[in-house]
Amino acid sequence: GEGGDGKEGGEGGDKPAAPAKKKKEKDDKKEDAEDGGDASVKYEPTIVPSNIPVPELDYHHTRAAIEDIRYRVELGRGALPSVAFYTFTHAHKYLHCCVTASDASLVVGGFADSVVRVWDINKSTPGANRDVYCTDSDSKRRKAAREEGMTLAEWEAANKDKMDAEMEDADAAATNVGENGEKLDANSRIARPLPCVEYVGHSAAVHGVDLSPGHDFLLSCSRDQTIRVWSTQLEIPLAAYKSHRFPVWDVKWCGTGHYFASASNDCTARVWAMDESQPRRVMVGHLADVDCVAWHPNTNYVATGSTDRTVRLWDVQTGDCVRIFTGHRGGVRSLAMSPDGKSMASGSDDGGVLVWDLATAKCSHAFEGHRGEVYSLDYSHGAGTVLASGGADETVKVWDVSQSALNEANGGEAGAVKAENKASAAARKPPMTSLRTKSTPVFNVQFTGRNLLMAMGARAPSVRYQAAA
């Protein structure tokens, strides 16, 4: 009897021991992660299905997205993004908004003369080459070798005979003649005008533009209280949506297209579908102008920023407000959602940038570095550990928004510091880099699918020129 009891006790004692050991290992891993060791943890995206019916992406857009993921550069403290800046000349106080395509092939601007202008960057390269990422012979060779599953040396050896003739013809075709008869090639530093397509239809200044996934449709909103959808392929207007009773400040497509959201001076935000002339949802709750809008990655939620200094998160299916974020000292001018859908960044007129935890509605990061309005924000693709911002102070700033950065700002004492102390500690942390432009306020910052940071703005007259005038 005693032996049986001892045996049972031994088995009973051995079985709970294993879970206790596993639990201890879990706690150790959790502590390591809280101490800033999350850099080695592999990023795993959270996939949440949409509650509203969304269209599937077409084959070509899906393939392009996969290619972007394949060649995407992972950014972080040791790998800062490369930045390309587009400057609109002679457009000070004339350009109101601008955006670029996800592959940087198109640049769109909304102007005070009620016209939307689109530039095709590929057509700016002399010759017949229209490849988005391949603009020279070496890039073409690497792409051809990759498509055939060969190394560059193997491809060159197998295609040596025709390679010389084809590449010489391509290089010869990629040579244009300038205004004075000089030869221009793809690497020429001589300035030349870029052809643009003008979309005319609004009757007042254009304040917001956005390109759909795949770049087939262009969205614009105006002070004339209307929203218009244009076809970039046919270069014609497709529809005009009228529901707002005051100027519309911002419009954004959802991640899969078909649906878009608008923000207006009438203190409301509205969700639309391309096949309906009236909005599907009207979000009412802000006490002043709704200046900016952003979609959650799963398209179930829409975030809005307002002059009343608050950010609200809305359920698209019900139209109800599910979160209210307070903490800005000025009107909210820009919004951005993280790729994993767990956090959101907002920029205000006072130069502050706050990062919010959507689950708790608390501020996790607070950055102060801009002097003036923060016009634009965007997260890097992938893990979303890098946040870019651009503002009226003519600078582009890059911030570290990883969990390890927050833990370092808090001295590694997770849970022992209050939320407001966390925000103030993070605010003292400078940006990873700050890039100053040549007298150009930054209207838009945007990461491409491969994490190249695109920024743009309209160059302002110099102080010396203004004094002379």
Side-chain angles (χ1 to χ4, degrees):
E2 293 179 1
D5 294 339
K7 186 176 180 181
E8 290 176 2
E11 289 179 354
D14 292 339
K15 287 183 179 179
K21 188 176 181 181
K22 290 181 180 178
K23 184 178 180 182
K24 185 178 180 182
E25 291 176 356
K26 280 185 179 179
D27 293 340
D28 293 340
K29 290 180 180 179
K30 187 176 180 181
E31 290 176 2
D32 293 340
E34 290 176 351
D35 292 338
D38 62 339
S40 61
V41 179
K42 186 177 179 181
Y43 168 68
E44 295 182 1
T46 303
I47 301 176
V48 178
S50 175
N51 293 329
I52 60 176
V54 294
E56 293 184 0
L57 299 178
D58 58 60
Y59 170 77
H60 296 288
H61 181 222
T62 303
R63 181 179 178 182
I66 294 174
E67 283 290 302
D68 288 342
I69 295 174
R70 182 181 180 185
Y71 296 105
R72 179 176 296 160
V73 178
E74 292 297 331
L75 303 178
R77 297 181 188 177
L80 296 179
S82 298
V83 184
F85 196 93
Y86 288 145
T87 302
F88 291 80
T89 58
H90 310 291
H92 179 59
K93 294 184 179 180
Y94 185 58
L95 175 73
H96 286 172
C97 55
C98 50
V99 71
T100 183
S102 59
D103 59 3
S105 60
L106 299 175
V107 173
V108 183
F111 292 84
D113 62 353
S114 75
V115 178
V116 179
R117 293 176 172 87
V118 179
W119 287 264
D120 190 336
I121 303 303
N122 292 332
K123 294 180 180 178
S124 67
T125 303
N129 177 50
R130 294 293 179 265
D131 195 316
V132 175
Y133 295 104
C134 299
T135 56
D136 62 305
S137 300
D138 293 336
S139 296
K140 292 178 181 179
R141 294 173 187 175
R142 288 192 295 268
K143 182 178 180 181
R146 185 172 64 248
E147 290 178 347
E148 296 183 15
M150 304 167 65
T151 63
L152 180 59
E154 293 173 348
W155 186 89
E156 289 179 346
N159 300 271
K160 187 175 182 180
D161 295 335
K162 68 175 184 178
M163 179 181 63
D164 296 335
E166 291 180 357
M167 294 305 175
E168 287 178 4
D169 293 342
D171 291 338
T175 303
N176 282 358
V177 179
E179 296 179 356
N180 300 324
E182 69 277 9
K183 290 185 177 180
L184 303 178
D185 57 22
N187 299 318
S188 176
R189 295 185 179 181
I190 300 175
R192 55 189 179 274
L194 301 182
C196 74
V197 178
E198 294 187 345
Y199 295 86
V200 180
H202 286 292
S203 59
V206 178
H207 287 277
V209 290
D210 196 25
L211 284 165
S212 67
H215 320 143
D216 294 329
F217 302 105
L218 170 63
L219 199 61
S220 63
C221 64
S222 170
R223 188 180 287 269
D224 64 7
Q225 308 172 18
T226 67
I227 303 166
R228 294 180 182 267
V229 174
W230 316 78
S231 171
T232 57
Q233 301 295 327
L234 303 176
E235 299 179 359
I236 60 173
L238 297 180
Y241 302 87
K242 302 178 181 179
S243 178
H244 290 287
R245 297 189 177 184
F246 289 93
V248 186
W249 301 133
D250 194 20
V251 284
K252 285 291 185 297
W253 289 102
C254 77
T256 56
H258 186 68
Y259 298 101
F260 57 91
S262 60
S264 173
N265 178 243
D266 59 11
C267 306
T268 67
R270 308 187 184 210
V271 175
W272 309 73
M274 287 187 66
D275 56 356
E276 294 286 343
S277 60
Q278 294 299 314
R280 294 288 185 91
R281 296 289 183 274
V282 178
M283 284 75 169
V284 180
H286 282 292
L287 305 179
D289 294 27
V290 181
D291 295 321
C292 52
V293 64
W295 283 86
H296 193 274
N298 63 16
T299 70
N300 291 329
Y301 304 96
V302 168
T304 56
S306 172
T307 307
D308 64 8
R309 304 180 183 181
T310 66
V311 179
R312 291 174 180 256
L313 189 67
W314 309 84
D315 189 328
V316 175
Q317 191 174 24
T318 62
D320 297 333
C321 179
V322 295
R323 293 283 189 279
I324 300 178
F325 306 87
T326 59
H328 281 292
R329 293 172 292 180
V332 181
R333 186 64 68 95
S334 55
L335 290 172
M337 287 283 186
S338 64
D340 61 6
K342 297 180 180 179
S343 59
M344 173 184 62
S346 57
S348 67
D349 291 337
D350 63 357
V353 177
L354 302 182
V355 180
W356 308 90
D357 185 347
L358 295 183
T360 61
K362 294 182 179 179
C363 178
S364 60
H365 299 69
F367 302 112
E368 293 181 357
H370 284 285
R371 297 181 178 179
E373 299 92 337
V374 180
Y375 290 142
S376 181
L377 295 167
D378 197 23
Y379 279 91
S380 62
H381 294 281
T385 57
V386 172
L387 177 68
S389 61
D393 58 356
E394 305 173 355
T395 62
V396 176
K397 297 184 185 294
V398 180
W399 312 88
D400 184 1
V401 292
S402 62
Q403 184 61 34
S404 58
L406 176 61
N407 293 341
E408 286 183 7
N410 295 331
E413 299 177 3
V417 185
K418 295 183 179 179
E420 54 267 22
N421 293 335
K422 290 184 180 181
S424 62
R428 292 192 294 269
K429 193 174 182 63
M432 292 190 290
T433 185
S434 181
L435 306 173
R436 180 167 291 278
T437 66
K438 294 183 178 180
S439 303
T440 306
V442 184
F443 288 174
N444 183 56
V445 291
Q446 186 177 346
F447 283 96
T448 66
R450 304 188 184 188
N451 275 343
L452 168 66
L453 180 57
M454 308 297 297
M456 57 193 70
R459 186 170 185 176
S462 62
V463 177
R464 182 181 301 176
Y465 176 83
Q466 291 178 346

